[in-house]
Amino acid sequence: MPTSAPHFTRRRLLKLTAVTAAAATLAACSGSASNPASGPTEAVSQDDIDKAMMTPTTLTFWTWVPNIDQEVALFQKKYPAIKVDVVNAGQGLDAYTKLRTALKAGTGAPDVAQIEYQYVPTFSITKSLVDLRPYGAAANRSKFVDWTWQQVTGPNGEVFAYPQDTGPMGMLYRADLFEKYGIEVPRTWDEFAAAARKLHAADPKVYLTNLAANETAGWHGLMWQAGSEAYSVKGTEVGLAVNDAASKKVASYWGGLVREGVVSTDPDFTDNWFQGFNSGKYATWLTAAWGPVFLSGSAKSTTGKWRAAPLPQWDTAEPVSGNWGGSTTAVITGSKNPIVAAKFAEFLNTDLNATKMFSEVQNFFPASTTLLADPSFAGRKSEFFGGQQVNKLFAQISATVDVGWQWPPFLDQSVKDWTETAGKSLADKSDVAAATDEWQARLKAYAKDQGFTVSAG
Amino acid sequence: MITRTAASSRLGGRRSHPGNHAYIFVAPFLACFVVLFLLPLGYAGYLSLFKDQLVGGTVFVGLDNYLRAVQDPQLLDGLRRVLLFFLIQVPLMLLVALGLALALDSGLLRLPKLIRLSAFIPYAVPSVVATLMWGYLYGPDFGPLTQLGDRLGFTAPDLLGDAWMLASLGNIVTWEFAGYNMIILYAALRTVPSERYEAAAVDGAGPWRIAWHIKIPALRPALLLCLIFSVIGSFQLFAEPNLIQRLAPTVINSSYTPNVYAHSLAFVSQQVNYAAAVSFLLGFVILAVSYAVLFVSSRNRRR
């Protein structure tokens, strides 16, 4: 942890709560860069690239990542002609609002920006992200975990960003509470439900978990794990099925546990919620790979009592997980120096020293395959988790994240509609599965109003 | 030639309208007023006549956005909510402010300056800070009220729940603005000539009668001012619900108040044009309600 742990965690949480998780209209059909259905521009020659990297240039980079100056310094050391202005334009929604305003105004937008996976389609639909293929992006594909690459790839194989950090989902649990109440670590959702009942019956003040009724990002991660195909995008045609069978399975499951009163639904990332971890109100947190570091900074009084495990499974034969959080580096349309900008984004996320530094200084959970396998990263032991090699576990989980998940080109709206339908019914203990129908109906009406052709899934 | 005519006409103008100098003095204000108020207002009005789609771009739609807004159940819900808020919270707040002002003016309080200052301090606290503070106090698990309940054996109401939310918001707004209104009323009371009190006292009126028959009637214009401010404040309710939304995301939805709705439309749903129409409509509603308040009160006065 950096010394500014609480600060870091606050920022982090904003970024993560800002909404769900990931990103690109991957469109499985044409996800491969080797199959460019409508390759836009030709590849830029190495000579042009070399020349651009020697020409004195200033880039503007909007990011909320704390201390990113250190990684930027590595780039500037390698390319002394290039100067990068790092600007903190706020986090999550704040940053996106500023970015949209600048894009609309036609002036003031940065060359390079931090974009969360789930927002890549929201910005690529407005043609605000530069396709990085002409700058040699495709060659980097193998450096990233498969599913993260899918997340930044457009329907025609465009590469809209470089993956930076990720949040494959797992389960953090209080080993001491589990032992006290004789609960085995649940491997399936059925076992999890049984454990929730048992624990709450043993101590009505403790809940096996808190499923925050405002956490669309976490919920999307659970839908992702269950194999929902909620969104798909192909040009101006958008497939919406946020109430498909997998989604309803998740909704009925959690709706049931919440109605039984054995799982709480407190809003997350609030003071009340932080206190809940410190006071032992919640015995698990279903969270992402950034969760362990986050929690160790927010619930210090429980150091040593936590352990990490994979998410409970619907089908143990094929372990699968979803993702919650993480972000990318994208080049913004209108940049006067797209070559330099693209190479900067590439360096930041493929240079071994830079990616390693992200995992050490910012505690990012990497998208880089090399780093995930690196013993210096995977072998790290966490005192908060009683010496467990938490990174190693989450690296294994990362390999099980489903590659098929896509995001809609209007994520904000989906998040809002989820909160007011499914989220509200969780809080009110009403029929969550039925609420997903309402979610679907609202989203469909919105998509049509925005001029999309809407198909069912 | 030309310059001379221009110069002479300017001279002539100056002679016949000695007030022209005044424009130089109001120019800075006028410039700000035009640039920061009229132009954005005009631009928002212009925007409200279009529709911008993610697919298909921008088209002129005339008054369609307004037609949609007047039938929008989410907007109407929000309007009903702020109307209810106005009808309950504002009278309570003005009563508190009036009581405080009369008590201070009566000269019977000890440490009047301290009381005046402490009643006014909440207004000096930014509403964001005030809301965050109250949000903590309302906390359902660890808020002081809940803890008190735990100690004394009663269940504190869920102040951030559906049933209590509007009252909780009303409490925050009252806390913030009662002191501010008190200052306006107190200042108005200080302008009442003391001869009237003497005359009333000579006629045998006690402090209560003086308050009822002299002070309160004298406060009428000030009360009206407070009321108009409160109409605007209530209908534009934004900062408090917007911040409390983080603590109670499923209770305060994106259309809880009209301003919250307009904000959400513009920045979440990317419907800037529709948001502009909603804002304009809200402006008209506020104008209408303010006018109604003025109309009713001036009719009462004539009677």
Side-chain angles (χ1 to χ4, degrees):
Chain A
M1 268 321 276
T3 46
S4 60
H7 191 53
F8 162 75
T9 51
R10 275 304 163 108
R11 282 158 175 266
R12 183 77 200 218
L13 82 86
L14 280 176
K15 162 180 166 192
L16 297 157
T17 40
V19 184
T20 1
T25 37
L26 94 217
C29 44
S30 52
S32 152
S34 58
N35 174 29
S38 60
T41 32
E42 290 159 30
V44 177
S45 76
Q46 190 60 41
D47 282 355
D48 287 346
I49 292 174
D50 290 344
K51 199 174 137 211
M53 299 313 281
M54 307 281 272
T55 315
T57 309
T58 301
L59 289 181
T60 310
F61 177 29
W62 283 10
T63 176
W64 52 76
V65 176
N67 303 316
I68 200 167
D69 292 3
Q70 300 183 27
E71 285 85 1
V72 170
L74 294 177
F75 175 79
Q76 289 178 331
K77 202 173 159 198
K78 187 169 175 193
Y79 301 103
I82 317 294
K83 186 178 174 307
V84 181
D85 275 341
V86 176
V87 178
N88 186 341
Q91 184 145 15
L93 206 52
D94 288 347
Y96 302 139
T97 303
K98 278 186 198 140
L99 185 54
R100 276 182 193 129
T101 310
L103 284 165
K104 276 218 165 118
T107 167
D111 299 281
V112 183
Q114 192 91 20
I115 309 261
E116 289 154 286
Y117 293 99
Q118 70 270 28
Y119 275 96
V120 171
T122 299
F123 281 100
S124 66
I125 191 80
T126 51
K127 301 192 169 52
S128 308
L129 306 181
V130 173
D131 181 4
L132 301 173
R133 280 178 301 178
Y135 313 104
N140 291 304
R141 181 182 180 155
S142 62
K143 293 176 186 161
F144 296 96
V145 182
D146 262 355
W147 68 267
T148 66
W149 194 255
Q150 296 291 358
Q151 293 274 300
V152 297
T153 310
N156 301 312
E158 304 95 328
V159 177
F160 286 124
Y162 282 104
Q164 188 159 83
D165 61 320
T166 69
M169 285 180 77
M171 176 175 74
L172 310 181
Y173 65 95
R174 283 280 296 270
D176 60 324
L177 292 179
F178 273 34
E179 195 176 335
K180 185 176 168 191
Y181 296 108
I183 288 167
E184 297 279 313
V185 179
R187 281 161 306 152
T188 66
W189 287 114
D190 282 344
E191 287 175 16
F192 186 86
R197 294 183 191 110
K198 185 175 171 188
L199 180 61
H200 192 64
D203 185 348
K205 281 196 170 156
V206 182
Y207 296 89
L208 181 59
T209 201
N210 178 65
L211 190 85
N214 63 323
E215 193 43 82
T216 319
W219 185 269
H220 270 122
L222 293 172
M223 283 169 69
W224 187 333
Q225 186 210 17
S228 166
E229 291 171 6
Y231 313 105
S232 60
V233 191
K234 184 90 182 157
T236 61
E237 193 183 311
V238 59
L240 289 174
V242 295
N243 59 345
D244 68 1
S247 165
K248 284 203 165 163
K249 181 167 75 176
V250 173
S252 312
Y253 178 82
W254 288 104
L257 289 180
V258 167
R259 261 203 306 283
E260 285 180 50
V262 296
V263 162
S264 60
T265 57
D266 308 335
D268 56 4
F269 303 101
T270 63
D271 289 340
N272 207 47
W273 180 80
F274 286 115
Q275 303 231 32
F277 281 119
N278 281 298
S279 70
K281 183 181 177 186
Y282 317 129
T284 71
W285 184 23
L286 305 177
T287 185
W290 43 262
V293 173
F294 179 85
L295 194 64
S296 64
S298 317
K300 285 205 179 75
S301 65
T302 54
T303 299
K305 295 176 177 169
W306 291 86
R307 299 289 180 278
L311 277 187
Q313 296 294 320
W314 294 105
D315 175 8
T316 43
E318 266 182 83
V320 63
S321 187
N323 180 68
W324 170 6
S327 58
T328 72
T329 314
V331 177
I332 303 301
T333 308
S335 165
K336 292 197 176 68
N337 306 292
I339 299 179
V340 183
K343 286 294 156 190
F344 171 63
E346 179 181 333
F347 176 91
L348 217 48
N349 301 301
T350 57
D351 180 80
L352 273 184
N353 291 326
T355 51
K356 204 162 191 170
M357 197 181 265
F358 274 124
S359 85
E360 281 161 7
V361 177
Q362 281 87 0
N363 278 301
F364 276 180
F365 192 83
S368 149
T369 45
T370 320
L371 197 56
L372 283 170
D374 190 328
S376 77
F377 172 77
R380 237 181 271 165
K381 288 181 181 164
S382 166
E383 190 201 338
F384 189 79
F385 290 87
Q388 192 181 356
Q389 292 179 332
V390 176
N391 285 345
K392 194 180 216 167
L393 174 79
F394 276 97
Q396 287 160 3
I397 294 174
S398 180
T400 68
V401 171
D402 192 272
V403 294
W405 179 268
Q406 304 182 46
W407 293 102
F410 34 74
L411 186 75
D412 297 319
Q413 184 69 25
S414 187
V415 166
K416 178 185 119 173
D417 286 338
W418 180 86
T419 311
E420 293 181 3
T421 56
K424 178 142 185 68
S425 78
L426 275 170
D428 295 349
K429 304 191 176 186
S430 57
D431 189 341
V432 185
T436 62
D437 290 336
E438 172 67 16
W439 181 20
Q440 167 82 0
R442 285 200 191 193
L443 211 48
K444 211 168 156 178
Y446 175 82
K448 279 189 178 156
D449 187 58
Q450 288 293 332
F452 287 95
T453 313
V454 182
S455 61
Chain B
M1 267 294 281
I2 293 165
T3 47
R4 199 184 300 160
T5 22
S8 60
S9 76
R10 213 163 42 224
L11 276 174
R14 195 186 292 166
R15 224 172 282 136
S16 55
H17 298 290
N20 276 4
H21 269 139
Y23 289 120
I24 298 171
F25 291 102
V26 284
F29 165 76
L30 266 185
C32 289
F33 183 71
V34 170
V35 172
L36 299 176
F37 185 77
L38 286 185
L39 281 181
L41 197 69
Y43 184 57
Y46 169 79
L47 279 181
S48 71
L49 304 177
F50 292 84
K51 180 174 182 181
D52 182 22
Q53 292 176 306
L54 284 172
V55 178
T58 306
V59 282
F60 180 78
V61 292
L63 294 177
D64 275 9
N65 286 326
Y66 291 90
L67 283 176
R68 184 177 156 195
V70 293
Q71 301 164 26
D72 186 337
Q74 287 180 287
L75 176 61
L76 298 180
D77 265 1
L79 274 175
R80 264 196 292 275
R81 192 170 287 116
V82 290
L83 184 68
L84 182 70
F85 182 88
F86 166 70
L87 290 176
I88 297 173
Q89 185 264 333
V90 170
L92 282 175
M93 173 180 70
L94 292 184
L95 271 180
V96 171
L98 182 66
L100 274 171
L102 288 173
L104 279 174
D105 189 60
S106 71
L108 299 173
L109 292 181
R110 288 187 189 184
L111 302 172
K113 279 188 181 157
L114 185 73
I115 293 176
R116 197 170 64 199
L117 187 67
S118 47
F120 186 69
I121 274 180
Y123 179 68
V125 175
S127 62
V128 172
V129 176
T131 309
L132 291 176
M133 185 189 82
W134 279 104
Y136 164 71
L137 295 177
Y138 291 157
D141 279 349
F142 303 99
L145 191 71
T146 319
Q147 293 191 5
L148 191 73
D150 283 350
R151 290 269 163 80
L152 301 181
F154 68 91
T155 314
D158 180 7
L159 294 171
L160 296 176
D162 265 323
W164 282 89
M165 184 54 83
L166 205 58
S168 300
L169 289 172
N171 176 55
I172 299 176
V173 174
T174 307
W175 183 84
E176 284 175 302
F177 291 99
Y180 168 76
N181 286 304
M182 173 207 71
I183 290 288
I184 296 179
L185 296 176
Y186 179 69
L189 276 178
R190 302 308 287 176
T191 64
V192 178
S194 56
E195 292 83 11
R196 285 202 208 167
Y197 299 146
E198 284 162 21
V202 167
D203 287 346
W208 289 106
R209 270 195 97 122
I210 291 181
W212 185 252
H213 285 288
I214 297 182
K215 292 188 177 176
I216 292 183
L219 278 179
R220 196 174 215 146
L223 271 172
L224 190 63
L225 182 74
C226 292
L227 193 60
I228 295 290
F229 282 163
S230 302
V231 170
I232 298 169
S234 298
F235 279 82
Q236 294 203 341
L237 199 59
F238 177 73
E240 292 82 7
N242 190 42
L243 283 161
I244 293 283
Q245 191 172 38
R246 284 168 207 206
L247 304 177
T250 55
V251 177
I252 296 195
N253 59 27
S254 65
S255 53
Y256 198 77
T257 74
N259 257 354
V260 169
Y261 187 43
H263 181 264
S264 156
L265 283 172
F267 295 109
V268 174
S269 305
Q270 309 294 309
Q271 294 168 324
V272 176
N273 309 95
Y274 185 48
V278 164
S279 305
F280 257 79
L281 217 57
L282 177 65
F284 286 126
V285 170
I286 292 174
L287 267 182
V289 175
S290 305
Y291 182 77
V293 166
L294 283 171
F295 181 76
V296 168
S297 67
S298 68
R299 206 182 49 181
N300 282 347
R301 197 180 308 170
R302 251 178 264 128
R303 248 198 334 229

